[in-house]
Amino acid sequence: MVRIRTTDEQVARRFRPELQGLRALAVALVVVYHVWFNRVSGGVDVFFLISGFLITGQLFRAAARGPIPFRPMWGRQIARLFPAALTVLLATVVAGLLLLPEARWLQTVREVVASAFFLENWRLAADAVDYSAQHNTASVVQHFWSLSIQVQFYVVWPLLVALVAMVAGRARERLRGHLTLTLLGVFVASLVFSVLLTITNQPLAYFHSLTRVWEFALGGLLALGIDAIVLAPRLRVVLGWVGIIGLLSCGMVLQVGSVFPGYAALWPTLCASLVILAGATGSPHGADRFLSTRAMRYLGDISYALYLWHWPVLLFVLVVGEQETVGFEGGTLIIAGSLLLAVLTHHLVEEPVRRAPFGLRGQYRVGAVSLVVVLVAAAVWQFAAVARANPLAAIGDPDHPGAIALLDGFSYSGSPDAEALPPMITINEDWAHLEHWECAPLAGFPAMDRCVQPVDSPTRRIVLVGDSHIQQYAAAMIPAAEDRGWQLVTIMRGACPFSTASEVDPDDQECVDWNEAAVQEIIDLQPDAVFALASRDVRAGLTEQTPPGFVEQWRRLDELGIPVLAVRDNPRFDYSPPDCLQQHGRGAQECGVARDEVYAPVPPYALIPDMPANVRFLDFSDLLCNDRFCPAEVGNVLVYMDFNHVTATYMASMAPVVGQRIDAEMGW
């Protein structure tokens, strides 16, 4: 039996080669899994563990000697992290302005700014819980979420250790004990929170800072206790290779992107812990011999820059090549290009800054200047985007009839070649705006709101209930309601149409609970009609269906004497029609779909026997398609904002027909 470490200083010094190699392995896994397999590997969790291991040891030693030197510590982190990160962000702004479709400009600018302030994880977390933002294509800077969490950790962790030191005093072993108990509490609390949030809201949990703190705490516990661990040399060799094999297999065995963090993230973090516990075995067969080779150590040196570069390079190649994946050969070229950029960044940016005799003030100035340059570039891009996002034209003018252009007997009084609305710049945000409506939590489901259109003495009250495919109809219903004195009420939940079951995700019990709360709200409101989907999943291959759960909900409302207006769903695509138009030009046939590929002559609900008597069906497919084709642009108005949602601008052009058909069906 051999005692593997005796002091914290020895741990820090003797572990450096292995940790460089482990970091290199983690980054290599992230890059390879992203580029070749379009999957997530769990490598970022290893980053967090290593960061916790290193900084906790440093802070413990500093606190044992005296007050923690915050400003120099943060200055070193700024000089180490800012130059490379902000160089990549600046290059991304330039490349994005030249290569990205205009529809992605505003989203990318927002995320560049969030990344520059190391808040990208919270930007993505906000989008993850905002269903109207989920149509966003993967951002070229979204990989900054993990760096953002690390930087937040570097700010908070020294303060935590300093607070513990104030309580424990400077006695080394007393401080170690207090800090160990504190980190153990942080580990348990964060892991429990991570597991619970992953179960209830995995997209939010993935980017939430507090669901990852336990990984840093685990690294910190290793740093505090590793010098007291005694392991046999052969066992250490075995542990090292078990950890390596576990890391290599994690991304292939687990769907990391959909089950992490939660308890599943214990896999890569515990595997990395085994590698750290194995340490420097001195054996020719040890994993540390592989990790401490010159090649792995150099890869560890450039790993930070490699991580920063690989994602935007991959995304820009996909955008320019109009691809969803790059294949093995293309992926190899992307990895090679990313390695080259990483080497250049390491030697031309990171190393000169690290070696420069800046001093403390100089380190902060480097960070400030780098940040200002990126923010100025982002502001210029934002200005260019806003300038192109404010057209003089408006829906309904002679040049922009929209859906009306599909009606029989229509002829242009304006130009059939006028600039299309909405502008590509703002198309991803082209939803109906309900900012001035009166919203309050549902009585039976406080997590979601019911919103009421402010109308004095309404002639009718109509409840719009369901998912985003009903929400989009608000843009057509609002003008119709204003003309007729109706009051609209929205009860919406993303990916949860009005049904007795969860149609999108069968395991989403919250969707079922929300639907039950929605029914109770409708009963309390006693509206003149309920507006909901009649079908869903309209795709090429005639997959349209009316789920039994839809009919069961209609039957429940029938028993209560509440009429239902059930609207046929719009087509869904395997690509983004607006991006397609920007790539191929307006009028491109490949951006639409043949009508008979998505719509059967007889809708599925017409084939259901014993339909409740309270249901009136609305089929607006003739406002989305002509007799043969469903185009991406009609009447100089873009029909779709993404692969399955209709723009609010186009919906507004449907308003006159929507109002007339509701009147006719309801006899109003």
Side-chain angles (χ1 to χ4, degrees):
M1 302 289 282
V2 178
R3 188 178 181 85
I4 61 173
R5 298 291 179 265
T6 57
T7 69
D8 296 294
E9 288 77 5
Q10 289 174 323
V11 171
R13 183 173 62 254
R14 296 182 61 185
F15 259 88
R16 189 169 293 115
E18 290 82 4
L19 289 177
Q20 279 183 298
L22 184 58
R23 185 185 295 112
L25 178 62
V27 170
L29 289 173
V30 169
V31 172
V32 167
Y33 273 77
H34 275 163
V35 176
W36 277 342
F37 304 115
N38 194 29
R39 291 172 65 99
V40 183
S41 68
V44 293
D45 302 276
V46 178
F47 303 164
F48 297 157
L49 180 88
I50 293 174
S51 296
F53 180 84
L54 290 174
I55 196 171
T56 302
Q58 295 168 6
L59 290 169
F60 170 69
R61 293 188 293 275
R65 291 191 297 266
I68 294 175
F70 293 109
R71 291 184 62 208
M73 179 178 298
W74 287 329
R76 288 192 298 271
Q77 295 294 348
I78 288 172
R80 184 175 71 86
L81 297 175
F82 276 43
L86 298 176
T87 296
V88 173
L89 286 178
L90 180 61
T92 300
V93 168
V94 175
L97 183 60
L98 297 175
L99 301 176
L100 284 180
E102 290 183 6
R104 297 174 62 176
W105 281 14
L106 289 177
Q107 174 204 356
T108 305
V109 169
R110 284 195 298 267
E111 295 198 20
V112 165
V113 173
S115 298
F117 286 106
F118 300 98
L119 296 171
E120 172 67 352
N121 66 305
W122 291 112
R123 172 76 258 175
L124 294 172
D127 284 353
V129 297
D130 176 5
Y131 186 73
S132 66
Q134 289 185 2
H135 65 271
N136 291 351
T137 309
S139 163
V140 291
V141 295
Q142 74 175 33
H143 63 311
F144 269 75
W145 74 267
S146 60
L147 179 58
S148 298
I149 291 179
Q150 278 193 288
V151 170
Q152 294 159 27
F153 165 76
Y154 291 144
V155 172
V156 173
W157 215 246
L159 300 176
L160 175 64
V161 175
L163 181 61
V164 174
M166 287 177 59
V167 174
R170 304 297 173 190
R172 191 178 185 87
E173 292 309 312
R174 179 179 170 83
L175 175 59
R176 187 194 301 272
H178 278 67
L179 190 54
T180 299
L181 288 175
T182 300
L183 296 192
L184 187 60
V186 170
F187 171 83
V188 172
S190 174
L191 180 57
V192 170
F193 177 69
S194 179
V195 171
L196 294 177
L197 189 59
T198 301
I199 292 172
T200 58
N201 192 337
Q202 190 273 335
L204 173 60
Y206 196 87
F207 299 116
H208 201 295
S209 298
L210 297 183
T211 62
R212 305 281 182 165
V213 173
W214 67 267
E215 299 173 6
F216 296 101
L218 179 58
L221 290 170
L222 275 174
L224 294 173
I226 198 169
D227 62 321
I229 298 175
V230 178
L231 297 172
R234 290 183 180 179
L235 178 58
R236 289 161 52 203
V237 171
V238 172
L239 290 180
W241 282 113
V242 168
I244 295 291
I245 294 170
L247 288 175
L248 293 173
S249 62
C250 176
M252 294 304 292
V253 175
L254 298 178
Q255 289 288 345
V256 174
S258 60
V259 301
F260 269 42
Y263 62 83
L266 285 166
W267 182 324
T269 51
L270 291 180
C271 287
S273 299
L274 293 179
V275 176
I276 294 174
L277 284 172
T281 64
S283 169
H285 307 297
D288 58 301
R289 184 177 178 87
F290 160 68
L291 292 176
S292 59
T293 59
R294 180 175 297 181
M296 289 297 290
R297 292 174 64 182
Y298 183 73
L299 183 59
D301 289 339
I302 66 170
S303 61
Y304 176 52
L306 175 60
Y307 178 80
L308 293 174
W309 278 114
H310 86 283
W311 185 254
V313 171
L314 170 63
L315 266 290
F316 282 124
V317 168
L318 291 175
V319 168
V320 173
E322 300 177 51
Q323 304 165 262
E324 293 186 4
T325 57
V326 293
F328 182 79
E329 292 183 2
T332 302
L333 291 176
I334 289 172
I335 292 173
S338 301
L339 279 169
L340 176 60
L341 289 170
V343 169
L344 293 174
T345 303
H346 178 68
H347 290 289
L348 299 180
V349 177
E350 290 182 295
E351 283 295 288
V353 171
R354 186 179 67 84
R355 293 173 180 172
F358 286 124
L360 180 58
R361 291 184 178 179
Q363 291 171 337
Y364 281 91
R365 285 172 183 160
V366 166
V369 170
S370 302
L371 179 61
V372 168
V373 170
V374 171
L375 293 180
V376 168
V380 171
W381 194 4
Q382 173 82 3
F383 179 81
V386 171
R388 302 186 65 169
N390 295 300
L392 298 177
I395 187 66
D397 67 25
D399 292 339
H400 299 90
I404 306 302
L406 290 175
L407 298 180
D408 292 339
F410 172 82
S411 62
Y412 271 98
S413 59
S415 170
D417 300 316
E419 184 178 357
L421 293 176
M424 281 289 184
I425 293 290
T426 59
I427 195 167
N428 284 339
E429 300 173 355
D430 198 47
W431 287 89
H433 297 292
L434 311 178
E435 289 89 349
H436 302 297
W437 288 29
E438 298 168 359
C439 298
L442 285 176
F445 200 92
M448 303 300 293
D449 284 349
R450 176 206 68 183
C451 295
V452 181
Q453 183 184 25
V455 177
D456 294 330
S457 303
T459 59
R460 309 281 181 184
R461 177 177 290 155
I462 301 176
V463 172
L464 283 68
V465 59
D467 62 4
S468 59
H469 280 233
I470 286 297
Q471 180 182 345
Q472 65 190 3
Y473 268 94
M477 294 289 286
I478 289 172
E482 290 174 347
D483 290 342
R484 292 162 174 81
W486 299 343
Q487 182 181 63
L488 304 180
V489 180
T490 60
I491 304 175
M492 303 291 176
R493 187 178 190 271
C496 187
F498 189 53
S499 176
T500 56
S502 177
E503 304 295 347
V504 178
D505 178 4
D507 297 325
D508 187 0
Q509 181 59 41
E510 283 197 0
C511 176
V512 178
D513 297 340
W514 173 83
N515 264 305
E516 183 59 34
V519 170
Q520 296 304 316
E521 195 76 22
I522 291 170
I523 293 172
D524 292 340
L525 289 169
Q526 287 295 306
D528 295 282
V530 168
F531 191 91
L533 282 181
S535 64
R536 64 178 305 270
D537 207 26
V538 180
R539 300 177 184 272
L542 300 178
T543 58
E544 183 183 14
Q545 58 174 305
T546 297
F550 283 19
V551 182
E552 291 175 23
Q553 285 288 47
W554 303 339
R555 187 164 285 115
R556 292 179 66 184
L557 296 182
D558 185 34
E559 294 171 355
L560 298 167
I562 299 175
V564 173
L565 288 163
V567 61
R568 194 176 191 181
D569 203 6
N570 60 269
R572 297 171 182 259
F573 299 83
D574 294 329
Y575 54 89
S576 169
D579 285 355
C580 178
L581 289 175
Q582 193 153 6
Q583 292 286 344
H584 298 286
R586 295 174 62 185
Q589 292 294 293
E590 55 263 54
C591 301
V593 63
R595 180 188 174 104
D596 60 10
E597 290 184 14
V598 292
Y599 282 125
V602 178
Y605 46 80
L607 303 176
I608 297 175
D610 302 322
M611 185 63 68
N614 66 325
V615 185
R616 303 289 184 270
F617 292 103
L618 298 169
D619 185 351
F620 298 116
S621 59
D622 60 327
L623 298 181
L624 299 169
C625 315
N626 57 35
D627 292 341
R628 297 175 293 102
F629 194 68
C630 304
E633 178 186 334
V634 174
N636 293 330
V637 178
L638 301 179
V639 181
Y640 301 99
M641 62 184 294
D642 57 16
F643 73 95
N644 76 115
H645 294 103
V646 178
T647 65
T649 303
Y650 191 80
M651 276 289 179
S653 76
M654 293 170 53
V657 179
V658 170
Q660 291 169 9
R661 292 187 184 176
I662 290 176
D663 285 339
E665 288 293 339
M666 299 299 297
W668 292 344

